[in-house]
Amino acid sequence: MKPNRRVKLSDLAKQLGLSTSTVSRALNDHPKIPHETKRRVKQLANDLSYHPNPFAKGLLQKKTKTIGVLLPSFKMSFFVSIIECLQQELKLKGYKLIVSSFGPSLKEEKEAFWEMAKAHVDGIIAIPNNDHEDPTFLNNIIDEGIPILFIDRIIDSLDANFVVTDDFNGMFEAVDYLIDKGRRKIIHLEGPDELSTSFFRLQGYKEALRSKQIEIDKRLIIPCQSKEEVIQKLQSVDVEFDAITCFNDYYAFEALQFLKSKNIRVPDDVCLIGFSDEPICQYTTPQMSSVIQPTSLFGKKAVELILHEIQQLQNNKAIDFDIYKIKTQLQLRQSCLSV
Amino acid sequence: MKPNRRVKLSDLAKQLGLSTSTVSRALNDHPKIPHETKRRVKQLANDLSYHPNPFAKGLLQKKTKTIGVLLPSFKMSFFVSIIECLQQELKLKGYKLIVSSFGPSLKEEKEAFWEMAKAHVDGIIAIPNNDHEDPTFLNNIIDEGIPILFIDRIIDSLDANFVVTDDFNGMFEAVDYLIDKGRRKIIHLEGPDELSTSFFRLQGYKEALRSKQIEIDKRLIIPCQSKEEVIQKLQSVDVEFDAITCFNDYYAFEALQFLKSKNIRVPDDVCLIGFSDEPICQYTTPQMSSVIQPTSLFGKKAVELILHEIQQLQNNKAIDFDIYKIKTQLQLRQSCLSV
DNA sequence: CTGTTAGCGCTTTCAA
DNA sequence: TTGAAAGCGCTAACAG
């Protein structure tokens, strides 16, 4: 029915009248093997479509050529877009990608990390969800020799590399632009407490106002734990406002719904800016302005760093950890351009 | 600096004064090991956070507890949503997920399949992109003992399971609804040639018209290889129309842009229905109607089938192949509901 | 330049 | 009920 017997090194060796070591060396381009032998070996390997057993290799070399990627959810296209980029970059470098998502629960997130560790990936790239106050378990994984690189969110007190959005400047520029356009009463829809991104975006907002000597009105800073809260919170705002900046695009979409329902014109009465530049932004009416987080830069930097860490680890060399901030870009669309 | 030495079976054995075989058996709940021994072994394993080396296991058992998932792109949220579901289902069953995307090129798609085969995954779940006229290489992979299950698109002449959308009925219902609402001149923006989905959606469109004795006007059937062509093709339509059905949501968004630019009112002048129900549909103005493809059903069915195939293969039993059609659901929103 | 040998961590006969 | 030993497929010392 099916042969189902994969060719292995010894099969090649037998057919060629060589030892397995020679064949192995030939395949791995060992310097001291004559070209002719290499050619013959590779030829046959190709003909029989021989593929080395990755488990035998993994067992021996403790390298799996596999990177684990952890993310909270596939629902955010920003994350997915990063995954896509990671996947492309890693494919180029000959790495495979094991992916796992873990949802909002801390317990599941921990488990997901452990599963990756158990799978003996060479390294982990993670978009964490929770503020790991006790990152002991992460340190344990790192101590086992699996470097972890974090994307988008910073976890304090952890020796690791971080590749994050320059949230501060991203929001700063957005608010700065609005002020230049004459808006003064700018709402900020703040994101979930526990995220470093919420914090820095809020700081950017405040600093932009401060730098133009505009007093910060606490009533305009509206914390929303999720996009579901946005409309309700906006209902109960009892001060005037002429612009809204948001933790992310989904908050902005909700805000847009709200404004429409109140017959408040965008951008004439109120300007609106999201964050992340989800592809949807082009399809809302009016089209949504947003802050672009260039995902390909995230992916490239992350891959570069994790591979470097893996190599350093292999050579028992020290690693310098750092926080890398990826510059954003303000994408203006109809929701901001007063006619 | 780092211990970096994972605990292994022999470490447990040594500490317990047992042989590795006994420890192994205890861990695997071998019947002839006394409960007390099992308890002690498991206790220690837990304390030292022992995790069996998956490579040693893989080498021995030829089972990797890993499923490869192949998809053309992460850009389509329909695909991503399926991945998310696969990932959850497979996690429950103790499987890991290796993911790879391959873009539009046939060559890359082939390579991606091969890479998966080389990675010795237990099975492959694929959303193919191309119409593999010569599926020899797929058969080779299947012959190597790796079952492949295809999602969303059918490849003729291949012994495999397929889980696809009931495209025909999905589009049929959409068109049927429009006709009931009094629309008669319904455009169909047809998808890429090579996709079985394009074909069946078109058939559904035609059959709906036919069943209501409406003549099919070829000028209303507009083939578009990609969403980029939509606007341009619509420009040159020179017959009247009062509704548009689309190969997918992105086509519909483009169509919406076009209609807006022409000041054609949606849904008053022209009704618009997409396909896939991307989450964006809720945020366009007017909100986009679409055909829901329940991704969780895809995921569940796919996992069920592939695991069954793996098991049958392991027991050297025959597998019955089939095409499973997942029912769609018409999601009506503003783009269809005349006021 | 090439073959022999040992061993990666685990499971699984085969004996005891 | 348990241990010793072999071996999964491959690579890397160590000899030649």
Side-chain angles (χ1 to χ4, degrees), chain A residues 2 4 6 51 54-56 59 64 74-75 80 84 87 91 96-101 118-120 143-146 227 253-254 260 280 283-285 313 316, chain B residues 2 4 6 51 54-56 59 64 74-75 80 84 87 91 96-101 108 114 118-120 143-146 253-254 260 280 283-285 313 316:
Chain A
K2 63 202 135 34
N4 199 3
R6 294 187 173 79
H51 298 303
F55 297 99
L59 187 53
T64 66
F74 289 90
K75 297 257 152 59
V80 173
E84 174 151 48
Q87 132 82 32
K91 192 195 267 186
K96 286 174 288 298
L97 215 67
I98 294 190
V99 180
S100 184
S101 70
K118 286 204 279 179
H120 290 225
D143 286 346
E144 281 199 15
I146 303 178
K227 66 173 174 147
F253 299 143
E254 295 293 326
K260 279 185 184 169
I280 324 177
Y283 292 111
T284 55
T285 312
L313 222 52
N316 266 303
Chain B
K2 64 203 135 35
N4 198 2
R6 293 189 175 76
H51 297 302
F55 297 100
L59 186 52
T64 67
F74 288 91
K75 297 257 153 57
V80 173
E84 174 151 46
Q87 129 83 33
K91 191 196 267 185
K96 285 173 288 297
L97 214 67
I98 294 190
V99 179
S100 185
S101 70
E108 268 194 271
W114 270 120
K118 285 204 279 179
H120 289 226
D143 286 345
E144 282 199 13
I146 304 178
F253 298 143
E254 296 293 327
K260 279 184 185 171
I280 324 178
Y283 292 110
T284 56
T285 312
L313 221 51
N316 266 302

Coordinates of all heavy atoms in Angstrom, one line a residue, chain A residues 2 4 6 51 54-56 59 64 74-75 80 84 87 91 96-101 118-120 143-146 227 253-254 260 280 283-285 313 316, chain B residues 2 4 6 51 54-56 59 64 74-75 80 84 87 91 96-101 108 114 118-120 143-146 253-254 260 280 283-285 313 316:
Chain A
K2 N 1.5 1.5 1.1 CA 2.4 2.6 1.1 C 3.8 2.1 1.6 O 3.8 1.4 2.6 CB 1.9 3.8 1.9 CG 1.8 3.5 3.4 CD 0.9 4.4 4.1 CE -0.1 3.7 5.0 NZ 0.4 2.5 5.7
N4 N 6.2 4.0 2.9 CA 6.2 4.6 4.3 C 7.6 4.4 5.0 O 7.7 4.6 6.2 CB 5.1 4.0 5.1 CG 4.8 4.9 6.3 OD1 5.4 5.9 6.4 ND2 3.9 4.4 7.2
R6 N 11.1 5.9 5.1 CA 11.9 7.0 4.6 C 13.3 6.5 4.4 O 13.8 5.7 5.2 CB 11.8 8.1 5.6 CG 10.4 8.7 5.8 CD 10.5 10.0 6.6 NE 9.3 10.8 6.7 CZ 8.3 10.4 7.5 NH1 8.3 9.3 8.2 NH2 7.3 11.2 7.6
H51 N 15.8 13.0 3.2 CA 15.7 14.1 4.1 C 16.2 13.7 5.5 O 15.6 12.7 6.0 CB 14.3 14.6 4.2 CG 13.8 15.1 2.9 ND1 14.4 16.1 2.2 CD2 12.7 14.7 2.2 CE1 13.7 16.3 1.1 NE2 12.6 15.5 1.1
P54 N 14.9 15.0 11.4 CA 15.2 16.2 12.2 C 15.3 15.8 13.7 O 15.9 16.5 14.5 CB 14.0 17.1 12.0 CG 12.9 16.2 11.4 CD 13.6 15.1 10.7
F55 N 14.7 14.6 14.0 CA 14.7 14.2 15.5 C 16.1 13.7 15.8 O 16.6 14.0 16.9 CB 13.6 13.2 15.7 CG 12.3 13.8 15.5 CD1 11.6 13.6 14.3 CD2 11.8 14.7 16.4 CE1 10.4 14.2 14.1 CE2 10.6 15.3 16.2 CZ 9.9 15.0 15.0
A56 N 16.7 12.9 15.0 CA 18.0 12.4 15.2 C 18.9 13.6 15.4 O 19.7 13.7 16.3 CB 18.5 11.5 14.1
L59 N 18.2 15.6 18.6 CA 18.7 14.8 19.7 C 20.2 15.1 19.9 O 20.6 15.3 21.1 CB 18.4 13.4 19.5 CG 18.6 12.4 20.7 CD1 17.9 12.9 21.9 CD2 18.2 11.0 20.3
T64 N 17.1 22.9 17.2 CA 15.9 22.3 16.5 C 15.5 23.1 15.3 O 14.6 22.8 14.6 CB 14.7 22.3 17.5 OG1 14.4 23.7 17.8 CG2 15.0 21.6 18.7
F74 N -5.3 35.8 17.6 CA -5.1 36.1 16.1 C -6.1 37.1 15.7 O -6.2 37.4 14.5 CB -5.4 34.8 15.3 CG -4.4 33.7 15.5 CD1 -4.4 32.8 16.5 CD2 -3.3 33.7 14.6 CE1 -3.5 31.8 16.6 CE2 -2.3 32.7 14.7 CZ -2.4 31.8 15.7
K75 N -6.8 37.7 16.6 CA -7.9 38.7 16.2 C -7.3 40.0 15.8 O -7.9 40.8 15.1 CB -8.9 38.8 17.3 CG -9.6 37.5 17.7 CD -11.1 37.6 17.1 CE -11.6 36.2 16.8 NZ -11.6 35.3 18.0
V80 N -1.0 39.6 13.9 CA -1.0 38.6 12.8 C 0.0 39.0 11.7 O 0.8 38.3 11.1 CB -2.4 38.4 12.1 CG1 -2.3 37.6 10.9 CG2 -3.3 37.8 13.1
E84 N 3.2 37.1 10.3 CA 3.5 36.8 8.9 C 4.9 37.2 8.6 O 5.6 36.5 7.9 CB 2.5 37.7 8.0 CG 2.8 37.6 6.6 CD 1.6 37.8 5.7 OE1 0.8 38.7 6.0 OE2 1.4 36.9 4.8
Q87 N 7.5 34.9 10.1 CA 7.4 33.6 9.3 C 8.3 33.7 8.1 O 9.1 32.9 7.8 CB 6.0 33.3 9.1 CG 5.6 32.9 7.7 CD 5.9 31.5 7.4 OE1 5.8 30.7 8.3 NE2 6.3 31.2 6.2
K91 N 11.8 31.8 7.7 CA 11.9 30.8 6.6 C 13.2 31.0 5.9 O 13.9 30.1 5.6 CB 10.7 31.0 5.7 CG 10.6 29.8 4.7 CD 9.7 30.2 3.5 CE 8.2 29.8 3.8 NZ 7.3 30.0 2.6
K96 N 11.9 26.9 11.4 CA 10.5 26.7 11.4 C 9.8 27.5 12.5 O 10.4 27.9 13.4 CB 10.2 25.2 11.5 CG 10.5 24.4 10.3 CD 10.4 22.9 10.6 CE 11.5 22.3 11.4 NZ 12.8 22.4 10.9
L97 N 8.5 27.5 12.4 CA 7.7 28.4 13.3 C 6.7 27.5 14.0 O 5.8 27.0 13.4 CB 7.0 29.4 12.5 CG 6.9 30.8 13.1 CD1 8.3 31.4 13.2 CD2 6.0 31.7 12.2
I98 N 6.7 27.4 15.3 CA 5.6 26.8 16.1 C 4.8 28.0 16.7 O 5.4 28.8 17.3 CB 6.1 25.9 17.2 CG1 6.8 24.7 16.6 CG2 5.0 25.4 18.0 CD1 7.1 23.6 17.6
V99 N 3.5 28.0 16.4 CA 2.7 29.1 16.9 C 1.7 28.6 17.9 O 1.1 27.6 17.8 CB 2.0 29.7 15.7 CG1 1.1 30.9 16.1 CG2 2.9 30.2 14.6
S100 N 1.5 29.5 18.9 CA 0.5 29.2 19.8 C -0.1 30.4 20.4 O 0.6 31.4 20.6 CB 1.1 28.3 21.0 OG 0.1 27.9 21.9
S101 N -1.4 30.5 20.5 CA -2.1 31.6 21.1 C -2.7 31.2 22.4 O -3.0 30.1 22.6 CB -3.2 32.2 20.2 OG -4.3 31.3 20.1
K118 N 8.9 23.0 26.6 CA 9.0 21.6 26.4 C 9.3 21.1 25.0 O 9.8 20.1 24.8 CB 7.6 21.0 26.9 CG 7.5 21.0 28.4 CD 6.5 20.0 28.9 CE 5.0 20.5 28.7 NZ 4.1 19.4 29.1
A119 N 8.8 21.9 24.1 CA 8.9 21.5 22.7 C 10.4 21.7 22.2 O 10.7 21.5 21.1 CB 8.0 22.3 21.8
H120 N 11.2 22.3 23.2 CA 12.6 22.5 22.9 C 12.8 23.4 21.6 O 13.6 23.0 20.8 CB 13.3 21.2 22.7 CG 13.5 20.4 24.0 ND1 14.7 19.8 24.3 CD2 12.6 20.2 24.9 CE1 14.5 19.2 25.5 NE2 13.3 19.4 25.9
D143 N 16.6 30.4 31.8 CA 17.7 29.7 32.4 C 17.9 28.3 31.8 O 19.0 27.7 31.8 CB 17.5 29.5 33.9 CG 17.7 30.8 34.7 OD1 18.3 31.7 34.1 OD2 17.2 30.9 35.8
E144 N 16.9 27.7 31.3 CA 17.0 26.5 30.6 C 17.7 26.6 29.3 O 17.9 25.6 28.5 CB 15.6 25.8 30.4 CG 15.1 25.2 31.6 CD 14.0 24.1 31.3 OE1 13.9 23.8 30.1 OE2 13.3 23.8 32.2
G145 N 18.0 27.8 28.9 CA 18.8 28.0 27.7 C 17.9 28.4 26.5 O 18.4 28.4 25.4
I146 N 16.7 28.8 26.8 CA 15.8 29.2 25.7 C 15.6 30.7 25.8 O 14.9 31.2 26.7 CB 14.5 28.5 25.7 CG1 14.7 27.0 25.7 CG2 13.6 29.0 24.6 CD1 13.4 26.3 25.8
K227 N -12.7 47.7 24.3 CA -13.4 48.5 23.4 C -14.9 48.5 23.7 O -15.6 49.5 23.4 CB -13.2 48.1 21.9 CG -13.7 46.7 21.6 CD -13.6 46.4 20.2 CE -14.0 44.9 20.0 NZ -14.6 44.6 18.7
F253 N -13.0 52.9 16.3 CA -14.2 52.6 15.5 C -15.4 52.7 16.4 O -16.5 53.2 15.9 CB -14.1 51.1 15.0 CG -12.9 50.9 14.1 CD1 -12.2 49.7 14.1 CD2 -12.6 51.9 13.2 CE1 -11.2 49.5 13.2 CE2 -11.5 51.7 12.3 CZ -10.8 50.4 12.4
E254 N -15.3 52.3 17.6 CA -16.4 52.4 18.5 C -16.7 53.9 18.7 O -17.9 54.3 18.7 CB -16.0 51.8 19.9 CG -15.8 50.3 19.9 CD -17.1 49.5 19.5 OE1 -18.2 50.0 20.0 OE2 -17.0 48.5 18.9
K260 N -21.3 59.1 15.3 CA -22.4 59.1 14.3 C -23.8 59.1 14.9 O -24.7 59.7 14.5 CB -22.2 57.8 13.4 CG -21.1 58.0 12.3 CD -21.1 56.8 11.4 CE -20.0 56.8 10.4 NZ -19.8 55.5 9.7
I280 N -8.6 47.9 8.1 CA -10.0 48.4 8.1 C -10.0 49.9 8.0 O -11.0 50.4 7.5 CB -10.7 48.0 9.4 CG1 -10.3 46.7 9.9 CG2 -12.2 48.1 9.2 CD1 -10.9 46.3 11.2
Y283 N -11.5 51.6 5.1 CA -12.9 51.3 4.7 C -14.0 51.9 5.5 O -15.1 51.7 5.2 CB -13.0 49.8 4.6 CG -12.2 49.1 3.6 CD1 -11.1 48.3 3.9 CD2 -12.5 49.3 2.2 CE1 -10.4 47.7 2.9 CE2 -11.8 48.7 1.2 CZ -10.7 47.9 1.6 OH -10.0 47.3 0.6
T284 N -13.6 52.5 6.6 CA -14.7 53.2 7.4 C -15.0 54.5 6.7 O -14.3 55.0 5.8 CB -14.2 53.6 8.8 OG1 -13.0 54.3 8.7 CG2 -13.9 52.3 9.6
T285 N -16.1 55.1 7.1 CA -16.5 56.4 6.5 C -16.7 57.3 7.7 O -17.6 57.0 8.5 CB -17.8 56.3 5.8 OG1 -17.8 55.2 4.9 CG2 -18.1 57.6 5.0
L313 N 24.4 32.4 22.9 CA 24.1 31.3 23.9 C 24.9 30.1 23.6 O 25.6 29.5 24.4 CB 22.7 31.0 23.9 CG 22.0 30.8 25.3 CD1 22.3 32.0 26.2 CD2 20.5 30.6 25.1
N316 N 28.3 30.4 24.4 CA 28.5 30.8 25.8 C 29.0 32.2 26.0 O 29.8 32.5 26.9 CB 29.5 29.8 26.5 CG 28.8 28.7 27.1 OD1 27.9 28.9 28.0 ND2 29.1 27.4 26.7
Chain B
K2 N 24.3 29.9 33.6 CA 23.0 29.1 33.4 C 23.3 27.6 33.5 O 24.3 27.1 32.9 CB 22.3 29.4 32.1 CG 23.1 29.0 30.9 CD 22.7 29.8 29.7 CE 23.9 30.3 28.9 NZ 25.0 29.4 28.9
N4 N 21.5 25.2 32.4 CA 21.2 24.8 31.0 C 21.3 23.3 30.8 O 21.3 22.8 29.7 CB 22.3 25.5 30.1 CG 21.9 25.5 28.6 OD1 20.8 25.0 28.3 ND2 22.8 25.9 27.8
R6 N 19.1 20.2 31.1 CA 17.8 19.8 31.4 C 17.8 18.4 32.2 O 18.7 17.6 31.9 CB 17.0 19.6 30.1 CG 16.7 20.9 29.4 CD 15.8 20.7 28.3 NE 15.3 21.8 27.6 CZ 16.1 22.5 26.7 NH1 17.3 22.2 26.5 NH2 15.6 23.5 26.1
H51 N 10.8 17.1 31.8 CA 10.0 17.0 30.6 C 10.7 16.1 29.6 O 11.9 16.4 29.3 CB 9.8 18.4 29.9 CG 9.1 19.4 30.8 ND1 7.8 19.1 31.3 CD2 9.5 20.6 31.3 CE1 7.4 20.1 32.0 NE2 8.4 21.0 32.0
P54 N 11.4 15.6 23.5 CA 10.6 15.2 22.4 C 11.3 14.6 21.2 O 10.7 13.9 20.4 CB 9.9 16.5 22.0 CG 10.7 17.6 22.5 CD 11.4 17.1 23.7
F55 N 12.6 14.9 21.1 CA 13.3 14.4 20.0 C 13.7 12.9 20.2 O 13.6 12.1 19.2 CB 14.6 15.2 19.8 CG 14.3 16.6 19.4 CD1 14.3 17.6 20.4 CD2 13.8 16.9 18.2 CE1 13.9 18.9 20.1 CE2 13.4 18.2 17.8 CZ 13.5 19.2 18.8
A56 N 14.1 12.6 21.4 CA 14.3 11.2 21.7 C 13.0 10.4 21.4 O 13.0 9.4 20.8 CB 14.7 11.0 23.1
L59 N 12.2 10.3 17.7 CA 13.2 9.4 17.0 C 12.7 8.0 17.1 O 12.7 7.2 16.2 CB 14.5 9.5 17.6 CG 15.7 8.8 17.0 CD1 15.8 9.1 15.5 CD2 17.0 9.2 17.6
T64 N 5.3 12.7 16.1 CA 5.8 14.0 16.6 C 4.8 14.8 17.3 O 5.2 15.9 17.9 CB 6.4 14.8 15.4 OG1 5.2 15.2 14.6 CG2 7.3 14.0 14.6
F74 N -1.5 35.4 5.6 CA -2.2 35.8 6.9 C -3.1 37.0 6.7 O -3.7 37.5 7.7 CB -1.1 36.1 7.9 CG -0.4 34.9 8.4 CD1 0.8 34.5 7.8 CD2 -0.8 34.2 9.5 CE1 1.5 33.4 8.3 CE2 -0.1 33.1 10.0 CZ 1.0 32.7 9.4
K75 N -3.2 37.5 5.5 CA -4.0 38.7 5.3 C -5.5 38.5 5.3 O -6.2 39.4 5.6 CB -3.6 39.3 3.9 CG -2.1 39.7 3.8 CD -2.0 41.2 3.9 CE -0.6 41.6 4.5 NZ 0.5 41.1 3.7
V80 N -7.0 33.2 8.9 CA -6.4 33.3 10.2 C -7.3 32.8 11.3 O -6.9 32.2 12.3 CB -6.1 34.8 10.5 CG1 -5.6 35.0 11.9 CG2 -5.0 35.3 9.5
E84 N -6.6 30.0 14.1 CA -6.9 30.1 15.5 C -7.6 29.0 16.1 O -7.3 28.4 17.1 CB -7.6 31.5 15.7 CG -8.0 31.6 17.2 CD -8.1 33.1 17.6 OE1 -8.7 33.9 16.8 OE2 -7.6 33.5 18.6
Q87 N -5.6 25.8 16.1 CA -4.7 25.8 17.2 C -5.3 25.5 18.5 O -4.8 24.7 19.3 CB -4.1 27.2 17.2 CG -4.1 28.0 18.4 CD -2.9 27.6 19.2 OE1 -1.8 27.3 18.7 NE2 -3.0 27.6 20.5
K91 N -4.4 22.0 20.4 CA -3.8 22.1 21.8 C -4.5 21.2 22.7 O -3.9 20.5 23.5 CB -3.9 23.6 22.3 CG -3.1 23.9 23.5 CD -3.6 25.2 24.2 CE -2.8 26.4 23.7 NZ -3.1 27.6 24.4
K96 N 1.1 20.1 18.7 CA 1.6 21.4 18.4 C 1.4 21.7 16.9 O 1.0 20.9 16.1 CB 3.1 21.4 18.6 CG 3.5 21.4 20.1 CD 5.0 21.2 20.3 CE 5.5 19.8 20.0 NZ 4.9 18.8 20.9
L97 N 1.6 23.0 16.6 CA 1.2 23.5 15.3 C 2.4 24.2 14.7 O 2.9 25.2 15.2 CB 0.1 24.6 15.5 CG -0.9 24.7 14.5 CD1 -1.7 23.4 14.5 CD2 -1.8 25.9 14.8
I98 N 2.9 23.7 13.5 CA 3.9 24.4 12.8 C 3.2 25.1 11.7 O 2.4 24.5 10.9 CB 4.9 23.4 12.2 CG1 5.7 22.8 13.4 CG2 5.9 24.2 11.3 CD1 6.9 22.1 12.9
V99 N 3.4 26.4 11.5 CA 2.6 27.2 10.6 C 3.6 27.7 9.5 O 4.7 28.1 9.8 CB 1.9 28.4 11.2 CG1 1.2 29.2 10.2 CG2 1.0 27.9 12.3
S100 N 3.1 27.7 8.3 CA 3.9 28.3 7.2 C 3.0 28.9 6.2 O 2.0 28.3 5.8 CB 4.9 27.3 6.6 OG 5.7 27.9 5.7
S101 N 3.3 30.1 5.7 CA 2.5 30.7 4.6 C 3.4 30.7 3.4 O 4.6 30.7 3.5 CB 2.0 32.1 5.0 OG 3.1 33.0 5.0
E108 N 6.6 28.3 -4.5 CA 6.7 28.5 -3.0 C 5.7 27.5 -2.3 O 6.0 27.0 -1.2 CB 6.4 29.9 -2.6 CG 7.6 30.8 -2.5 CD 7.2 32.1 -1.8 OE1 6.8 33.0 -2.5 OE2 7.3 32.1 -0.6
W114 N 6.9 20.6 1.0 CA 8.0 19.8 1.2 C 8.7 20.0 2.6 O 9.1 19.1 3.3 CB 9.1 19.9 0.1 CG 8.8 19.0 -1.0 CD1 8.6 19.2 -2.3 CD2 8.8 17.5 -0.9 NE1 8.3 18.1 -3.0 CE2 8.5 17.0 -2.1 CE3 9.0 16.6 0.2 CZ2 8.4 15.6 -2.4 CZ3 8.9 15.3 -0.1 CH2 8.6 14.8 -1.3
K118 N 9.4 17.3 5.4 CA 10.8 17.1 6.0 C 10.7 17.3 7.5 O 11.5 16.7 8.2 CB 11.7 18.2 5.4 CG 12.2 17.8 4.0 CD 13.5 18.4 3.6 CE 13.3 19.9 3.2 NZ 14.6 20.5 2.9
A119 N 9.9 18.2 8.0 CA 9.8 18.4 9.4 C 9.2 17.2 10.1 O 9.0 17.2 11.3 CB 9.0 19.7 9.7
H120 N 8.8 16.2 9.3 CA 8.1 15.0 9.9 C 6.9 15.3 10.8 O 6.8 14.8 11.9 CB 9.2 14.2 10.7 CG 10.2 13.6 9.9 ND1 10.5 12.3 10.0 CD2 10.9 14.0 8.8 CE1 11.5 12.0 9.1 NE2 11.7 13.0 8.4
D143 N 2.2 9.5 0.3 CA 2.8 8.1 0.3 C 3.8 7.9 1.4 O 4.1 6.8 1.8 CB 3.4 7.8 -1.1 CG 2.4 7.6 -2.1 OD1 1.2 7.3 -1.7 OD2 2.7 7.6 -3.3
E144 N 4.5 9.0 1.7 CA 5.5 9.0 2.8 C 4.8 8.7 4.2 O 5.4 8.7 5.2 CB 6.3 10.2 2.9 CG 7.4 10.2 1.8 CD 8.5 11.2 2.1 OE1 8.6 11.7 3.3 OE2 9.3 11.5 1.3
G145 N 3.5 8.7 4.1 CA 2.8 8.4 5.4 C 2.3 9.7 6.1 O 2.0 9.6 7.3
I146 N 2.3 10.8 5.4 CA 1.8 12.0 6.0 C 0.5 12.4 5.4 O 0.4 12.8 4.2 CB 2.8 13.2 5.8 CG1 4.2 12.8 6.4 CG2 2.3 14.5 6.5 CD1 5.2 13.9 6.2
F253 N -15.8 45.6 -0.6 CA -15.3 46.9 -0.1 C -14.9 47.8 -1.3 O -15.2 48.9 -1.3 CB -14.1 46.7 0.8 CG -14.4 45.9 2.1 CD1 -13.5 45.0 2.6 CD2 -15.7 46.0 2.7 CE1 -13.8 44.3 3.7 CE2 -16.0 45.2 3.8 CZ -15.1 44.4 4.3
E254 N -14.2 47.2 -2.2 CA -13.8 47.9 -3.4 C -15.0 48.4 -4.1 O -15.1 49.6 -4.6 CB -13.0 47.1 -4.3 CG -11.6 46.6 -3.7 CD -10.7 47.8 -3.5 OE1 -10.7 48.7 -4.3 OE2 -9.9 47.7 -2.5
K260 N -19.7 54.6 -3.9 CA -19.6 55.9 -3.2 C -19.1 57.0 -4.1 O -19.6 58.1 -4.2 CB -18.7 55.8 -2.0 CG -19.4 55.2 -0.8 CD -18.5 55.3 0.4 CE -19.1 54.6 1.6 NZ -18.1 54.5 2.7
I280 N -14.3 43.3 9.6 CA -14.5 44.7 9.1 C -15.9 45.0 8.7 O -16.3 46.2 8.7 CB -13.6 44.9 7.9 CG1 -12.3 44.1 8.0 CG2 -13.4 46.3 7.6 CD1 -11.5 44.3 6.7
Y283 N -17.8 47.6 10.3 CA -17.4 49.0 10.5 C -17.4 49.8 9.2 O -17.1 51.0 9.2 CB -15.9 48.9 11.0 CG -15.8 48.4 12.4 CD1 -15.2 47.2 12.7 CD2 -16.3 49.2 13.5 CE1 -15.1 46.7 14.0 CE2 -16.2 48.7 14.8 CZ -15.6 47.5 15.0 OH -15.5 47.0 16.3
T284 N -17.8 49.2 8.1 CA -18.0 50.0 6.9 C -19.3 50.8 7.1 O -20.1 50.5 7.9 CB -18.0 49.2 5.7 OG1 -19.1 48.2 5.8 CG2 -16.7 48.4 5.4
T285 N -19.4 51.8 6.2 CA -20.6 52.6 6.2 C -21.2 52.5 4.8 O -20.5 53.0 3.9 CB -20.4 54.0 6.6 OG1 -19.6 54.1 7.8 CG2 -21.7 54.7 6.8
L313 N -3.8 5.4 9.8 CA -2.6 5.1 9.1 C -1.7 4.3 10.1 O -1.0 3.4 9.7 CB -1.9 6.5 8.8 CG -1.2 6.6 7.5 CD1 -2.1 6.2 6.4 CD2 -0.8 8.1 7.3
N316 N -2.5 0.9 10.1 CA -2.5 0.3 8.8 C -3.9 0.0 8.3 O -4.1 -0.9 7.5 CB -1.7 -0.9 8.8 CG -0.3 -0.6 8.4 OD1 -0.1 -0.1 7.3 ND2 0.6 -0.9 9.2

